[in-house]
Amino acid sequence: MEALLLSLLVWIGTHSTLNVEGVELPKVIEMTPTEITREMYRHSGLTAKTPEVNERVIALYDPTAADTGTIYVLAAQLAPRAGKYADKLANPYFQERLLHELVHHVQYRTGEIERLPCRAAAEGEAYRLAGRFIRERGLPDPLPNRRFWTYFYSRC
């Protein structure tokens, strides 16, 4: 996982204006759909007696968890096309999810998040870079209507 995170960090540094130099790697915890839904509820402040699995929640970043922040992500074997890869970490769709959250990690660790008009604005760069990552690999985008969702989730 460390080698993958380092390569994604380099990719972010070469494809954006974010300065990745000296950024420590976050902790990564792979989860089931039930676990990541519970984690989303825990961080959102929402309550649910028995939260149902939210299939839209595939990854989260918590800058305050662990000394270096934590990425919660659906387990690699649950990513699209996982069966095509003997090494589940080699799956570009899993990597795209990690990259999105790693962008947030860099935004927090470099103070970039403080320069944005609101926290939601950080989503724009993360969605754009993740989309570019997938396009560069010649794969279909796992997020239909990425431009719409980029706009929707990055509004202040």
Side-chain angles (χ1 to χ4, degrees):
M1 180 69 74
E2 183 177 334
L4 172 57
L5 290 172
L6 286 170
S7 70
L8 293 174
L9 202 57
V10 168
W11 190 93
I12 291 167
T14 59
H15 291 82
S16 73
T17 59
L18 291 170
N19 180 3
V20 299
E21 192 172 326
V23 172
E24 292 180 82
L25 296 178
K27 181 177 179 181
V28 176
I29 300 174
E30 293 183 61
M31 303 180 121
T32 67
T34 300
E35 290 169 332
I36 202 162
T37 297
R38 285 187 187 138
E39 195 64 32
M40 184 268 305
Y41 272 95
R42 190 174 75 78
H43 287 280
S44 69
L46 300 172
T47 56
K49 292 179 183 171
T50 55
E52 294 181 22
V53 170
N54 185 333
E55 294 179 9
R56 293 183 309 182
V57 181
I58 57 175
L60 305 164
Y61 175 67
D62 181 354
T64 64
D67 291 340
T68 58
T70 299
I71 292 173
Y72 302 98
V73 62
L74 281 181
Q77 67 266 22
L78 300 175
R81 300 185 182 186
K84 293 185 175 208
Y85 299 91
D87 175 3
K88 302 298 183 211
L89 298 182
N91 182 346
Y93 289 106
F94 178 72
Q95 294 175 1
E96 180 257 350
R97 293 173 177 182
L98 276 179
L99 184 130
H100 178 111
E101 301 307 325
L102 197 54
V103 168
H104 293 317
H105 175 71
V106 173
Q107 290 168 329
Y108 273 91
R109 293 296 172 191
T110 62
E112 179 65 26
I113 196 77
E114 302 301 324
R115 292 184 278 282
L116 298 172
C118 68
R119 185 171 183 228
E123 293 297 338
E125 187 164 30
Y127 276 107
R128 280 189 296 278
L129 286 171
R132 182 174 179 183
F133 180 84
I134 284 295
R135 281 191 310 277
E136 283 186 1
R137 278 136 191 86
L139 296 169
D141 195 328
L143 183 63
N145 303 311
R146 184 174 291 268
R147 293 177 103 185
F148 168 78
W149 292 113
T150 300
Y151 167 76
F152 183 79
Y153 286 123
S154 64
R155 294 178 304 154
C156 292

